[in-house]
Amino acid sequence: MFKIIKTANYDELSDQAFNIIKNIVTTKPDSVLGLATGSSPVGLYQRMVTDHQQNGTSYRAVKTVNLDEYLGLPQEHPESYYSFMQRNLFSKLDIPTDNIHLPEDGADQTEQCRRYDAILDGLNVDLQLLGIGSNGHIGFNEPGTSFGIKTHVVDLNESTLRDNARFFNSIDEVPKQAITMGIASIMQAKQILIIASGENKADAVAAMINGPQTVDVPASALQSHPNVTVIVDAAAAAKL
Ligand code: GLP
């Protein structure tokens, strides 16, 4: 079930998303937040940091689980999702390091998937934040992924490599594989908040909400979730 909030622009989208997160963290200081990377949540994370610095909103008891991570990039690479999260959020909040969880690269990838599933099994996610890929992916669950899957390794689609090339010197530097929380785990969250900005998301947003529920559009899995808030700016809402 989707609650749709349309905003005029990205700043308003970020304001609205921040209001939802702040409400959760202040009413339940030991919340479990599922977090996302990409350009979509940057404005939200800036607001969380400013609010923490100015109003003292505390993340001491908050736990986080991130959606995904590239394979083949060292953690310290500036475009690893570990580095992204440290830079944009974690290093600027009072959240303890032990409370932060991301999928990790490793010699034994099957073992890394099971490690992450064990972490997820031990936590009840209060809110899962999502962006959406222009091809309808959530996390790095690309089109064709079973809705029943848990943490797994993926080969990234050509369109995803192109979309993410803007963060690297060239498309050849974009990692070809990633490890991602599966759709089944995403669906376990009590509440989902999905944010989308810009015209290149308009088709995916429309397919997620109004299209058939199909593995061709991974975000359409969310049609079966009881509590999904979608915040879209005008450009991303253009085909609703
Ligand atoms: C990325 C991430 C997703 C993200 C999506 C949209 O590749 N794996 O978690 O939500 O694609 O990214 P952006 O917000 O930069 O458009």
Side-chain angles (χ1 to χ4, degrees), residues 158-240:
E158 195 59 37
S159 68
T160 300
L161 299 179
R162 276 199 303 275
D163 284 350
N164 289 0
R166 68 189 191 279
F167 299 113
F168 295 84
N169 291 324
S170 77
I171 191 167
D172 298 332
E173 288 185 21
V174 185
K176 308 282 183 291
Q177 285 192 310
I179 178 170
T180 185
M181 193 189 291
I183 295 174
S185 306
I186 292 171
M187 294 292 283
Q188 294 281 310
K190 288 181 208 154
Q191 181 180 355
I192 289 177
L193 171 60
I194 182 161
I195 54 178
S197 165
E199 61 184 343
N200 68 323
K201 301 293 176 71
D203 285 327
V205 168
M208 165 178 74
I209 295 172
N210 295 324
Q213 196 174 42
T214 164
V215 294
D216 296 337
V217 180
S220 69
L222 303 177
Q223 291 175 12
S224 300
H225 193 283
N227 187 353
V228 184
T229 301
V230 185
I231 311 181
V232 272
D233 69 5
K239 297 193 175 169
L240 286 180

Side-chain angles (χ1 to χ4, degrees), residues 138-163:
I138 48 176
F140 267 136
N141 292 281
E142 297 281 30
T145 306
S146 156
F147 290 172
I149 202 163
K150 298 179 95 174
T151 305
H152 60 119
V153 168
V154 292
D155 295 326
L156 299 177
N157 276 17
E158 195 59 37
S159 68
T160 300
L161 299 179
R162 276 199 303 275
D163 284 350

Side-chain angles (χ1 to χ4, degrees), residues 36-41 67-68 70 81 130-133 137-140 160 164 166-167 201:
T37 51
S39 42
S40 304
L67 283 169
D68 46 19
Y70 288 119
Y81 285 167
L130 298 173
I132 184 169
H137 74 216
I138 48 176
F140 267 136
T160 300
N164 289 0
R166 68 189 191 279
F167 299 113
K201 301 293 176 71

Side-chain angles (χ1 to χ4, degrees), residues 18-116:
F18 168 68
N19 289 341
I20 291 171
I21 300 280
K22 169 140 181 172
N23 184 45
I24 290 201
V25 171
T26 48
T27 55
K28 189 179 177 205
D30 60 348
S31 298
V32 180
L33 300 179
L35 297 178
T37 51
S39 42
S40 304
V42 170
L44 161 64
Y45 293 162
Q46 285 168 347
R47 283 157 179 75
M48 290 165 71
V49 168
T50 302
D51 172 63
H52 167 68
Q53 290 169 344
Q54 294 182 350
N55 305 316
T57 302
S58 178
Y59 292 77
R60 274 194 170 292
V62 168
K63 295 193 175 78
T64 65
V65 282
N66 260 77
L67 283 169
D68 46 19
E69 180 58 283
Y70 288 119
L71 294 179
L73 275 192
Q75 263 191 347
E76 62 275 14
H77 188 288
E79 294 307 330
S80 77
Y81 285 167
Y82 172 86
S83 293
F84 174 97
M85 292 306 300
Q86 290 296 333
R87 183 168 66 242
N88 287 287
L89 194 66
F90 296 146
S91 68
K92 297 170 179 168
L93 299 178
D94 59 347
I95 185 165
T97 305
D98 286 351
N99 291 9
I100 293 167
H101 307 284
L102 284 95
E104 285 175 25
D105 201 351
D108 184 340
Q109 293 173 344
T110 305
E111 167 58 27
Q112 288 298 337
C113 292
R114 299 295 76 81
R115 179 195 77 89
Y116 208 59

